[in-house]
Amino acid sequence: MSRVIAIDGPSGAGKSSVSRLVGRKLGFLHVDSGALYRIMTWRCLAEGVDTTDSVKVSEFARKVEVECRPEDGRIAYYVNGEAPGDRIRKPEINAHASEVATVKEVRDRITAILRGMTVYGDLVVEGRDITTAVFPDSPARFYLTASAEARARRRQKEEVEKGIANQSAEAVKASLLARDAIDSTRQYAPLRKADGALEIDSSDLTLDQVVETVLSALPADWK
Ligand code: DC
């Protein structure tokens, strides 16, 4: 049986950096579940599917084939043999991913894809519903959070550094809070702290401190 570390939290809380590092330290594959929602959103927008029409999104999403491959310590995704790269990180995708993520059929499909990844080995899976819906029985579940200001600052820096966008901190914060609102109030698998998950507020912690907190809370025989 493969072991799963589950990490949930709002945008910009640091889930990706923490998950990547924890995975590297333990030899667990890093799984970015948000990227799957982003891929579905990217394909919808590319094919002119209205992301607010849940029936159309659900029909369309059924046809999108995502290939998952373990590669360089993570699960890499390919659509028609091509890696989506930073195309799925654009503000346009940010603006519509939460809508696509409200659609039950999309969530069911992505949940099944994520559960199927255990065949590749031990995993660190990050997202919004990993601790509550995808792997609720994992003994290693974390809820990573940070103040809206800290989260917006990190996201903006990342967008500028990667050349993805050049928005003001205020614009990044507004987009992030809008997504949080949809993610945490949707009907299916909303973002919330799971009972029994360890909450870590990373606002005033360094990345290494958060990673250490996660590592020290793992079951003794996982370290
Ligand atoms: O983590 P992210 O910003 O890449 O996520 C993109 C969108 O997908 C975001 O609106 C939340 C949604 N999401 C989700 O609903 N469930 C997950 N497990 C991961 C992401």
Side-chain angles (χ1 to χ4, degrees), residues 11 15 32-35 37-38 89 97-98 101 107 126-130 155 179 183 186:
S11 316
K15 298 186 299 291
D32 174 2
S33 69
Y37 289 92
R38 288 172 178 274
R89 308 280 158 198
S98 290
R107 304 207 67 82
E126 50 146 323
R128 302 291 191 292
D129 65 340
I130 310 303
R155 266 291 146 92
R179 269 192 297 155
D183 292 340
R186 68 180 173 226

Side-chain angles (χ1 to χ4, degrees), residues 193-212:
K193 180 189 159 316
D195 293 337
L198 176 68
E199 180 163 350
I200 306 171
D201 184 335
S202 72
S203 310
D204 298 315
L205 298 177
T206 64
L207 177 58
D208 284 343
Q209 285 171 323
V210 179
V211 169
E212 275 314 310

Side-chain angles (χ1 to χ4, degrees), residues 74-171:
R74 70 195 170 107
I75 299 289
Y77 306 121
Y78 293 89
V79 179
N80 299 324
E82 220 190 317
D86 284 341
R87 275 177 292 194
I88 61 167
R89 308 280 158 198
K90 302 267 182 206
E92 192 196 6
I93 306 285
N94 294 344
H96 296 282
S98 290
E99 293 160 0
V100 171
T102 61
V103 180
K104 184 174 186 301
E105 290 75 10
V106 171
R107 304 207 67 82
D108 289 346
R109 168 105 194 274
I110 290 179
T111 297
I113 294 174
L114 292 168
R115 290 186 180 146
M117 288 177 189
T118 53
V119 297
Y120 297 119
D122 297 325
L123 309 173
V124 189
V125 189
E126 50 146 323
R128 302 291 191 292
D129 65 340
I130 310 303
T131 58
T132 56
V134 183
F135 293 108
D137 298 328
S138 160
R141 293 177 303 143
F142 299 89
Y143 188 77
L144 191 56
T145 185
S147 68
E149 288 68 31
R151 295 190 287 121
R153 230 180 298 122
R154 289 177 191 156
R155 266 291 146 92
Q156 191 216 17
K157 188 163 170 266
E158 186 182 301
E159 286 184 0
V160 172
E161 279 172 4
K162 291 190 175 171
I164 296 170
N166 197 355
Q167 309 182 90
S168 68
E170 275 311 305

